[in-house]
């Protein structure tokens, strides 16, 4: 895509999002804690399944400090039914790291977020863009599908070469302003 095409595409995507973006409980604020929880819960799980878990979890653990000081067994009990229990253990460990290493404040930089337990490239980009409006790229199932179509990618999207191409495209496409809305929009369109 040429620079002018990217500008037009970004504008059209954001205009669509302003009118049609999904209303989800974790999109109601730019709280990095709530965004992080939702992103971890959404890994390998549908939005419909996550909503009641997210609401129960945030009612019991409303902030990173309450999660960090909780007993891991209680965290696991609230997680029951979501599966992939390593996600819950990593949430607990990462919350403790945020409290002890970052004075209870989530870092905004992708590179720093990636040092926290259980936070990979996608989740770091999601937190950075959704909570802090940093121009951080994301590639997940929905955006992967959309980017592959935009690039007319014929190879397996999971191959190393395809992933490199998709991440490069995402990095070139994400705008400097409203990056979080743009990324959310692409996920909604891709879904």
């Amino acid at each position: 895509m040429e620079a002018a095409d990217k500008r037009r595409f970004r504008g059209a995507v954001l205009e669509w999002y302003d009118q049609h973006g999904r209303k989800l409980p974790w999109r109601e604020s730019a709280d990095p804690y709530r965004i992080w929880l939702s992103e971890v819960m959404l890994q390998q799980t549908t939005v419909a399944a996550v909503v009641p878990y997210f609401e129960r979890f945030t009612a019991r653990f409303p902030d990173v400090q309450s999660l960090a000081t909780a007993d891991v067994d209680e965290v696991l009990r609230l997680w029951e039914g979501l599966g992939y229990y390593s996600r819950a253990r990593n949430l607990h460990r990462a919350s403790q790291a945020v409290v002890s290493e970052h004075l209870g404040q989530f870092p905004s930089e992708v590179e720093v977020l990636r040092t926290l337990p259980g936070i990979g490239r996608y989740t770091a980009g999601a937190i950075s863009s959704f909570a802090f409006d940093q121009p951080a790229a994301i590639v997940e199932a929905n955006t992967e599908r959309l980017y592959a179509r935009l690039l007319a990618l014929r190879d397996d999207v999971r191959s190393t070469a395809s992933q490199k191409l998709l991440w490069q495209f995402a990095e070139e496409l994400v705008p400097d302003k409203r990056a979080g809305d743009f990324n959310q929009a692409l996920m909604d369109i891709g879904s």
Side-chain angles (χ1 to χ4, degrees):
M1 282 184 158
E2 298 295 323
D5 295 328
K6 288 177 187 174
R7 278 193 304 276
R8 279 192 298 277
F9 179 75
R10 290 177 191 123
V13 165
L14 287 167
E15 184 177 317
W16 178 90
Y17 183 70
D18 290 341
Q19 295 176 20
H20 306 289
R22 291 182 289 185
K23 306 297 181 217
L24 300 169
W26 44 86
R27 289 186 181 173
E28 293 172 4
S29 80
D31 179 358
Y33 171 73
R34 294 173 67 83
I35 290 165
W36 166 60
L37 286 176
S38 70
E39 290 304 324
V40 172
M41 287 180 172
L42 286 163
Q43 294 168 5
Q44 307 294 319
T45 311
T46 65
V47 168
V50 166
V51 170
Y53 281 94
F54 178 81
E55 290 171 346
R56 282 191 301 271
F57 210 87
T58 54
R60 173 57 190 96
F61 306 118
D63 53 42
V64 72
Q65 289 83 4
S66 60
L67 180 57
T69 58
D71 184 85
V72 71
D73 290 332
E74 183 181 6
V75 174
L76 292 169
R77 271 193 303 281
L78 274 174
W79 195 267
E80 282 179 8
L82 276 176
Y84 303 98
Y85 290 90
S86 63
R87 294 183 296 168
R89 288 183 191 89
N90 281 333
L91 276 174
H92 191 245
R93 283 196 298 270
S95 68
Q96 292 172 329
V98 168
V99 169
S100 66
E101 299 168 22
H102 302 284
L103 305 174
Q105 301 298 311
F106 269 85
S108 61
E109 305 85 12
V110 169
E111 301 77 25
V112 179
L113 286 162
R114 288 189 69 184
T115 66
L116 297 171
I119 295 184
R121 189 175 186 181
Y122 162 75
T123 304
I127 295 166
S128 184
S129 68
F130 302 162
F132 301 104
D133 204 32
Q134 297 295 309
I138 62 165
V139 175
E140 47 77 62
N142 295 314
T143 57
E144 181 179 83
R145 186 171 35 256
L146 181 59
Y147 295 152
R149 289 180 182 153
L150 290 171
L151 291 167
L153 183 64
R154 297 194 188 284
D155 298 330
D156 178 8
V157 294
R158 302 306 310 158
S159 75
T160 302
S162 291
Q163 283 295 302
K164 183 177 179 181
L165 178 65
L166 293 169
W167 275 99
Q168 179 182 358
F169 183 67
E171 288 167 355
E172 293 170 5
L173 203 54
V174 69
D176 290 334
K177 294 182 180 168
R178 292 193 68 196
D181 287 346
F182 182 77
N183 283 336
Q184 297 272 21
L186 292 178
M187 289 175 21
D188 284 2
I189 292 167
S191 73

